Amino acid sequence: MSKLASILDKYSRILLLFFIIAGMSLLKPEAFLTYENFSTVIFQQAPFTILMSFGMTLAIITKGIDKSMGSILVLTSVLCAAFIKQEQYIIGIALALALGILCGFLNGILITRVGVAPFIATYGIEYTALGLAFVYTGGQYIYDFPPVFRSIGIGTVFGIPNLALITFLIFIVLYFLTRMTTFGRRMYSAGFNFNATTLSGISAKNTVTLVYIINGLLAAVAGILYMARLNAADPGISGNFTLDSIAATLIGGTSFGGGKGSVAGTVIGSLIIVFIRNSMNIMGVSTTWQQTAVGFIIVFSILLEAATRYISNKAKSLGMVSIDAG
Amino acid sequence: MPLDKTFELVELKNISKQFPGVLALNNVSMDFRKGEVHVLLGENGAGKSTLVKIIAGVYTKDKGEMLLEGSPVDFKRIRDAQEAGIAIIHQELNLLPERSIAQNIFVGKEPEKKGLPGIIDKKKMISDSAELLQRLGVDLNPNTQVKKLSIAQQQMVEVVKALSRNIKLLIMDEPTSSLTKKEIDKLFEIIRKLKSDGIGIIYISHRMDEIQRIGDRVSIMRDGEYIDTVDAKTMNMDEVITKMVGRKIEQLYSRRYNAPGKLVLQTNGLCGLRFRNVSISVHAGEVVALSGLIGAGRSELAKALFGYDPIEAGSYTLFGEKVTRATPKESTRRGMAFLPEDRKAEGLILQMPIKNNIVSASLKKVFPNFLLNNAKETRIGEHYRREMRIATPNVDKIVQELSGGNQQKVVISKWLASESKFIIFDEPTRGIDIGAKAEIYQLIDRLAGEGSAILMISSELGEVVGISDRVYVMREGEVVAELKRDKLSQEELVSWAVRGAAKND
Amino acid sequence: MIKLFSPKKRLPVPGIVWGIIFLIIFFSIIRPAKFPTLYNALLILRHSSVLIVASIGMTMLILVSQIDLSVGSVMSLAGVITAVCAESGMPLGVSLALSILVGMLIGVVNGTMVAVFRFDYWISTFATMGIAAGLALVVANGQTITVRSDFFNWLGNGKVLGIDFLILLVAVLVAGMLFVLGKTRFGYNIYSIGGSAETARLSGIDVTKNRMFVFIGSGFFSAVAGLMLAAMGSSASPIAGADYSFDAIAAVIIGGTSFDGGKGGLAGTVLGAVLLRILTLGLNLMGIPPTWQKAIIGVVIVAIIVNDVLGERRRKTNESRRVYSNV
């Protein structure tokens, strides 16, 4: 990759985040540039976007997509809510995690063994999971959980909110898993070239299935945190997660062509998304516009990637090849 | 010989074409005349296909000039070339299996109803197709779906398709590779007729007998460069071959034959997607080749052995272990390696560095505790870079940027790193320049010498004859002959591959 | 596939016809008083008509191995644009034309991203889906807008010679597109590109241009479908089209057009859409709550797609084996 392209690739996202924060600080310092606002955005809103976007990132790295995470979050939370209310935390949480794994496993089987396009497969699981959640709850909230459980969502350790801490821990685990283990290597390899990976004696099918299982697990964890945070399990909240997490993943530098990207970039991407939403709220932009804006962010990041690729190809054809140690 | 301008059809001046990692054409100048069959001769990777694709507008040239009947042309699109009267029959079949023969013949140029632009005259299309088929003596119903045809029949549809518009120049890239003798005779009859109509023909083929039967002039290419043009009727075969390969043929193939060791692979009545009842054996230290036409089921057999395609019946024994169902993962564990024909799509992760590719088949062995270790990976990469003489400054380079020969060396390194002892090469030297070819042959010889068992699929008869201990010839999914080294000749292989059991000895 | 017409004509009709017959008999037995009535049959046809039009573009797209996820939100957007414009005093004709133009514009955006720049169609059209859905909410300010126009109402509910205008319109559109797909160069090109984009390219067909046209067509038909939906209720909701993208994909797949491209056609899609609507209305008549309906239909759709994918794989295996059959 040429120097210019790699700089564009690496820093454009951080720059974008910086511009948003700087711009808002100048425009509306009294509402934006406050401790309360930043802590709400970073410690309360960002963790969920980040967790869901991690799953989307892994899926997109393997040339897939995971539309089902939002509804897995809903299904796992409403189904374990009854146990949590009876203070049977272990059973409740274990049930949620197991259910998340099961949903992810079904996604993986549909995609790798049956050969259904990832979008359709995860859409099917999304539909089914959401339907089950509605049937189970009759469309009603489940609320009012014991304080012990709620402390997961609102408590702090050394002044750092639990939510942020757990998200950070998961980030460390995923970063380690994707960058430093053979599983990560297999995952990127399958994303670049599924067939060649299989023909190297690696079970690309199992690798991709595992990715969707991780996603199911992530969604279940997010579901538990969500319940603890809001003190409610709501079957109607799955809506915006998919669009936001695709936007966060792509603006975070993961390529829709598979094989490229990282969870670190996705953290930046998620922050961009939550800050944009936060800025729009502060500016009094009606929520109806926000979906359009997020859609534009996806288009923008696709174009950004295309531009990067174009510049790097151009540089190559001019013979200015510098070797990227990747 | 003096050139009469009125006969001149296409003239190429200093054409060059660069692909990533390889200069496919370097300053090529050539001319093609009306009413002649001009044969292009050269090894795989010599640039013949690239050259004809530039003439036909499939690729655009980087440098140089092309004249059509004296006036310069610059085809930006395939359609431009088609409208100028240039048709090409590609090496691979380019047909729509779901559509009828008539629809395939006229794809992209369907006749329109008079006075109704954009509306297809299906009746005319079918009757024209029937007429064309009949004119070429092909006995097929134009309404038949192409997927119901055999490969030879599909090839004839390709020929008819190319002739379905008024053409000045017809390019044929190995048109006879899957035709029977009768069909070849028919094709040559057609070619003679086209010649007499003043149509120029560019003909790419490896079969020397054909070249002398049908060719007028022969141009030789090597490593993307134009070498020489000779008269087909009076050419000296040895001289031509020397020009083609750039050196004496004996130097290309090096093989020290040793007595075969223990039995490594034995298949028992193996059946799969495009092969049936295959029983073959390979011993340690042996190079066994699978010869036959494209589509004879060789690659499918190899992929089934490796576990990529299903085995539908039968079994095989590998290193004494009986296998009825395999996956690539298990096969790799058992010590099998597979080097696919299409190494860019199936053999390598092009976007990853060399060292990552080299350890990709042995992740478990290299990183036993699941943790990646960059220093170890680099060390292994460097080891193979030196041993295999991969031309690269370092092993962090992305594989995409390497030439075909070096890419193949990376694939081989990958399987050496996994310590495989049974290695399947599918077309090991396709798209590789001649120098690297000799290196690959030396390497295969070395591997055999070290006790590896090697199964090689090759369509290049020279290399089959040059380096194999034994050859199985496949035809239409079945093994029709087993030939020992002392019985090997290119003629023998062709006759078995085309006619199969018809000729017995 | 079964052949409904004489084998000579070679017009293959998917086995889905049996599915439709089965569903009709099934619901007629369960709800004999309500289901097998003329009123209900017309209701099914009216409800099918919107889905059929929305699926026309999707059929062409799937034929060339592409998908458009923005169909549903373009429908919503078209509906609210017409409603807002007409209510603000713009002539109805101009409002309708404007909506359709916007639909086609979104098609151009999709086509530019997917056909010209070769971006992934899932993500690209998902993004335009988000944009169009958001715009629909913005235009309508989140409200359902009533259109007080007799003509608009007539478009959705009026009759010509005793037959719903809507149904006639769909018949004309379908007949027109059957002609385009079956008899014109554009239609031939679509099948050629779907069969093999590479072969089409080598045959001199401009793959990019044709795919672009297909995306624009998808935008056009989505907008028309959205207007039909709005006209039926004389009002436009900014989320009216929400489920239509997937219903359209389902109708196409059920109708026998395969994700592999180049295979199938509009006739099957029409039947697929009718089958889906029979299922929805039948479940309604059975008194099954909407939440369950969603789950049931979701599972049915996915089951059908899985079946399609598996069947396609089987067929391919068999075909590759048959190569030598008549040498």
Side-chain angles (χ1 to χ4, degrees), chain B residues 58 77-79 82 90 94-99 103 107-112 118-120 122 125 143 147-151 153 161 272-274 276 295-297 312 476-477, chain C residues 10 179 181-189 191-206 261-263 312 315 317 319-327:
Chain B
V58 179
R77 300 176 307 160
I78 297 163
R79 176 138 284 177
Q82 285 176 344
H90 292 273
N94 276 294
L95 295 170
L96 306 165
E98 294 292 329
R99 302 291 264 176
Q103 281 164 334
V107 62
K109 50 176 190 282
E110 295 87 352
E112 294 177 351
I119 294 170
I120 307 298
K122 200 172 168 191
M125 191 171 85
N143 285 314
K147 68 176 181 188
K148 299 196 170 126
L149 304 178
S150 71
I151 287 188
Q153 288 169 326
K161 186 172 140 186
L273 285 186
R274 282 194 182 182
R276 49 188 179 261
E312 297 185 333
E476 288 166 25
Chain C
R10 283 184 179 277
F179 178 80
L181 284 174
K183 306 274 183 204
T184 68
R185 177 169 307 285
F186 178 58
Y188 271 70
N189 286 348
Y191 277 98
S192 301
I193 292 168
S196 160
E198 179 64 7
T199 295
R201 195 179 69 82
L202 292 174
S203 306
I205 295 170
D206 190 335
K263 218 163 126 185
E312 193 63 30
R315 233 179 341 264
T317 311
E319 265 159 31
S320 70
R321 204 174 298 136
R322 250 218 336 261
V323 166
Y324 309 111
S325 61
N326 43 9
V327 170

Side-chain angles (χ1 to χ4, degrees), chain C residues 23-102:
Chain C
L23 281 181
I24 291 176
I25 294 173
F26 176 78
F27 286 124
S28 301
I29 291 172
I30 302 243
R31 286 282 177 275
K34 282 185 187 160
F35 189 83
T37 60
L38 186 65
Y39 171 78
N40 193 46
L42 278 176
L43 197 65
I44 287 172
L45 279 181
R46 278 171 56 81
H47 277 270
S48 306
S49 59
V50 176
L51 182 56
I52 289 171
V53 175
S55 309
I56 293 176
M58 196 68 87
T59 306
M60 295 195 291
L61 279 165
I62 294 184
L63 278 175
V64 296
S65 312
Q66 312 279 306
I67 296 259
D68 182 359
L69 295 172
S70 67
V71 166
S73 25
V74 170
M75 285 174 65
S76 311
L77 183 60
V80 295
I81 286 179
T82 293
V84 168
C85 290
E87 287 304 285
S88 71
M90 202 183 272
L92 189 65
V94 179
S95 316
L96 293 173
L98 187 69
S99 302
I100 292 175
L101 214 62
V102 169

Side-chain angles (χ1 to χ4, degrees), chain B residues 183-196:
Chain B
E183 287 162 327
I184 292 174
D185 288 345
K186 209 179 282 170
L187 182 71
F188 283 1
E189 223 172 89
I190 296 165
I191 291 177
R192 283 194 196 97
K193 196 180 161 307
L194 294 174
K195 258 177 72 169
S196 66

Side-chain angles (χ1 to χ4, degrees), chain B residues 381-398:
Chain B
E382 284 296 332
H383 170 78
Y384 285 103
R385 180 177 74 88
R386 280 192 303 274
E387 189 180 319
M388 306 293 297
R389 281 180 299 185
I390 303 170
T392 171
N394 60 54
V395 290
D396 292 325
K397 198 165 170 161
I398 307 292

Side-chain angles (χ1 to χ4, degrees), chain B residues 182-449:
Chain B
K182 210 177 116 200
E183 287 162 327
I184 292 174
D185 288 345
K186 209 179 282 170
L187 182 71
F188 283 1
E189 223 172 89
I190 296 165
I191 291 177
R192 283 194 196 97
K193 196 180 161 307
L194 294 174
K195 258 177 72 169
S196 66
D197 291 345
I199 292 168
I201 289 155
I202 302 179
Y203 192 94
I204 298 179
S205 176
H206 286 298
R207 297 195 187 168
M208 295 295 176
D209 54 330
E210 281 181 5
I211 293 168
Q212 286 188 315
R213 246 179 89 190
I214 196 77
D216 294 314
R217 286 193 300 163
V218 176
S219 288
I220 300 140
M221 294 183 70
R222 188 176 72 220
D223 298 339
E225 286 177 33
Y226 167 76
I227 303 297
D228 195 11
T229 299
V230 297
D231 191 289
K233 302 285 183 274
T234 58
M235 68 179 184
N236 176 325
M237 199 70 88
D238 290 336
E239 253 174 52
V240 168
I241 290 175
T242 310
K243 281 174 180 162
M244 233 168 90
V245 298
R247 72 190 80 183
K248 287 266 181 296
I249 207 113
E250 304 85 71
Q251 288 170 304
L252 187 61
Y253 306 110
S254 50
R255 183 90 169 86
R256 293 153 293 166
Y257 296 93
N258 9 16
K262 277 203 334 218
L263 184 67
V264 171
L265 174 87
Q266 173 70 56
T267 73
N268 305 305
L270 217 52
C271 299
L273 285 186
R274 282 194 182 182
F275 59 90
R276 49 188 179 261
N277 270 324
V278 171
S279 296
I280 59 170
S281 63
V282 184
H283 296 81
E286 232 185 353
V287 177
V288 174
L290 284 176
S291 183
L293 304 177
I294 291 163
R298 299 169 300 161
S299 292
E300 289 80 0
L301 171 62
K303 281 187 172 167
L305 285 175
F306 193 60
Y308 191 70
D309 283 348
I311 294 171
E312 297 185 333
S315 66
Y316 65 84
T317 325
L318 182 70
F319 298 114
E321 192 179 344
K322 193 177 173 197
V323 180
T324 48
R325 286 186 59 188
T327 65
K329 193 177 167 185
E330 291 164 25
S331 301
T332 307
R333 184 185 52 74
R334 291 190 188 106
M336 193 191 291
F338 177 61
L339 292 88
E341 172 181 3
D342 187 351
R343 61 188 155 266
K344 287 185 184 191
E346 298 185 327
L348 293 162
I349 313 289
L350 286 178
Q351 306 91 328
M352 279 190 168
I354 296 168
K355 58 180 184 184
N356 292 14
N357 274 283
I358 288 178
V359 298
S360 66
S362 43
L363 285 176
K364 259 194 192 135
K365 275 181 200 143
V366 179
F367 312 113
N369 48 7
F370 292 105
L371 296 179
L372 299 179
N373 178 340
N374 192 38
K376 192 174 181 188
E377 195 170 356
T378 306
R379 205 165 61 235
I380 293 171
E382 284 296 332
H383 170 78
Y384 285 103
R385 180 177 74 88
R386 280 192 303 274
E387 189 180 319
M388 306 293 297
R389 281 180 299 185
I390 303 170
T392 171
N394 60 54
V395 290
D396 292 325
K397 198 165 170 161
I398 307 292
V399 170
Q400 201 154 23
E401 292 165 12
L402 299 178
S403 70
N406 282 306
Q407 286 182 349
Q408 183 69 309
K409 287 181 191 171
V410 174
V411 185
I412 296 172
S413 305
K414 167 173 115 179
W415 291 111
L416 292 186
S418 80
E419 294 164 5
S420 301
K421 286 285 170 202
F422 173 57
I423 306 173
I424 305 174
F425 287 90
D426 194 352
E427 305 287 355
T429 60
R430 173 151 296 172
I432 288 175
D433 60 51
I434 201 89
K437 259 184 192 178
E439 277 184 85
I440 304 269
Y441 296 138
Q442 279 163 23
L443 194 91
I444 292 178
D445 175 57
R446 202 190 87 198
L447 290 171

